[in-house]
Amino acid sequence: MRLVHLDLKGAAPRVSYLEQVFPLLSQLGANGVLIEYEDMFPFKGELEILRSPYAYSEEDIERIQQLAEQHKLEVVPLVQTFGHVEFILKHEKYQHLREVERFPNSFNPHVPDTLALLKSILSQVIEKHRRSTWIHIGADEVFHLGEGMDSKNWMSHHKGDVGTMYLKHIKEVLGFLTAQFWGLRVLMWDDMLRKISVGALRGEGTGWHLCQAPPMHPLCARPGRRHTQRQQEPMPCPGGTWLSGKREVGPPCPPCAHRAVLARCCLSLSHRYDHYSVLCELLPVSIPSLAICLQTLVNGGFTEEAKRKVLDVLGLDSVQLEQSTCEGRGAFPGVEIYHMVEQVNGHLKESILKALEEESAIKGWFSPYHRKRHFGNPRNMESFGSKVLKLHEDWESFVRDLREQLERIYFPDTVEEWLEENVNPYLDQLRDLVRDYR
């Protein structure tokens, strides 16, 4: 399985853009999409409070699955069940479920309402993904686990540690999925498990089956490349549950299928690091990088064959890995945004700061002091006026075009946020200067 993880904590694309992207993913070697909806899922009933104003509709969810099926991509929904639940715990209604009262990052696993809420969320998501044979329960980066009073009391009374407490909660989630959705297989991230000793994983009452990772590295098709020592340690495998590493993938085998050990690799396209952070790179801008990664997985390395495939599919002339650059017009979905973001990153800040800081007439005759008090010598002001006005109009025209392109792919909140973070800090300085000049 070569999954592309669409993390929709921010910059969730319109379904019309996924219609263009899914065939590209399939062509480049992906055979599945791991979709972390977060607040983009159309929750109903008491859970409706979790929905973004721009959440996908039920029809959208069905259309996404039809598109995936059409392009031979297996859909794996991802529901965070421990950490990364800010979109839930930010609401006053669910604040009592926080591990630490001040922080909305992680669930308190000792409050009965936590598991009850998770059952409801999982049930709604799975119900809308009846084609899927996999569910991903996240469970990564459970910050502050063990710091809440309930957890401290539990560890004290049960002579346990954070690791056994973590496994206890995971087992409860898996128990619900096993009982309620027979045959559904489960994936989870592995980072929290790396911190747990083998002894703890073998602890009494955990119910975890341990199996040995195979000697061949899962990201390499050539035999003989051994795992690191950490990867050679036994890895937990509760029934049909598999681990999926964001960085290193150790593929354990389920007890019922020891003969066939399959590597599962997930390439994450994080749109935010958490619900509150700024946006990461936009999907159209990351497509060349994603294409290189997918073809590297398919070919066991970034071979000449892989490079030719990437250039051919994306319509590029060349890629330079060391410089992280691509040359050529490109012919992939959103390529216009790719080039326009290059312009923003490479020229917007530089051109504006150069005009404002290196123009002697501005520094000498149109300083913040002059502008605040509305006076200046017209002779000196006219020496820089036409140049500044031209720069301003060129960038405003560019941003209008960029906004139009962004609106074709993204919802209004994403467009506004991206422009606020990446364009306005610099363009607003020029806008203010032009306003005062006029």
Side-chain angles (χ1 to χ4, degrees), residues 28-43:
L28 288 167
N31 52 24
V33 283
L34 176 66
I35 306 181
E36 185 172 356
Y37 291 104
E38 202 175 79
D39 60 357
M40 287 301 293
F41 187 80
F43 292 108

Side-chain angles (χ1 to χ4, degrees), residues 217-407:
H217 195 289
L219 302 188
C220 176
R222 298 185 297 275
R225 287 197 178 184
R226 298 280 168 172
H227 291 284
T228 62
Q229 187 61 40
R230 179 172 63 198
Q231 288 174 308
Q232 286 179 326
E233 293 175 353
M235 304 191 71
C237 181
T241 304
W242 294 74
L243 309 182
S244 55
K246 292 177 180 177
R247 294 158 292 275
E248 296 173 88
V249 184
C253 55
C256 56
H258 285 293
R259 291 177 300 167
V261 178
L262 305 176
R264 280 156 173 78
C265 183
C266 180
L267 301 173
S268 288
L269 294 171
S270 292
H271 291 129
R272 297 186 200 279
Y273 290 115
D274 70 35
H275 189 74
Y276 287 98
S277 74
V278 296
L279 290 171
C280 299
E281 196 58 273
L282 297 174
L283 178 52
V285 182
S286 66
I287 281 180
S289 174
L290 174 61
I292 289 168
C293 290
L294 281 171
Q295 276 297 296
T296 297
L297 286 177
V298 171
N299 291 276
F302 193 52
T303 61
E304 281 302 314
E305 180 183 355
K307 186 174 183 179
R308 283 195 301 271
K309 177 79 170 181
V310 168
L311 296 178
D312 181 54
V313 171
L314 301 187
L316 296 169
D317 297 331
S318 66
V319 292
Q320 302 297 329
L321 297 188
E322 293 78 10
Q323 287 77 38
S324 297
T325 58
C326 299
E327 301 294 333
R329 293 183 61 181
F332 54 88
V335 68
E336 300 87 358
I337 291 176
Y338 178 89
H339 289 306
M340 295 179 94
V341 169
E342 274 191 322
Q343 286 289 103
V344 170
N345 290 342
H347 303 292
L348 175 66
K349 178 181 177 181
E350 179 186 1
S351 67
I352 291 175
L353 293 183
K354 184 176 181 180
L356 299 185
E357 295 177 5
E358 295 184 12
E359 179 62 58
S360 61
I362 292 178
K363 296 180 72 174
W365 281 269
F366 203 55
S367 71
Y369 182 88
H370 294 92
R371 292 165 62 184
K372 184 177 181 180
R373 289 161 179 78
H374 299 154
F375 81 94
N377 189 325
R379 174 180 177 275
N380 300 91
M381 289 172 63
E382 287 176 5
S383 69
F384 67 79
S386 59
K387 185 190 302 183
V388 166
L389 291 174
K390 173 83 166 52
L391 181 66
H392 173 251
E393 179 51 40
D394 286 348
W395 276 118
E396 291 287 13
S397 175
F398 174 87
V399 171
R400 284 193 294 271
D401 292 342
L402 174 57
R403 177 184 290 273
E404 184 179 329
Q405 293 293 338
L406 290 171
E407 287 173 346

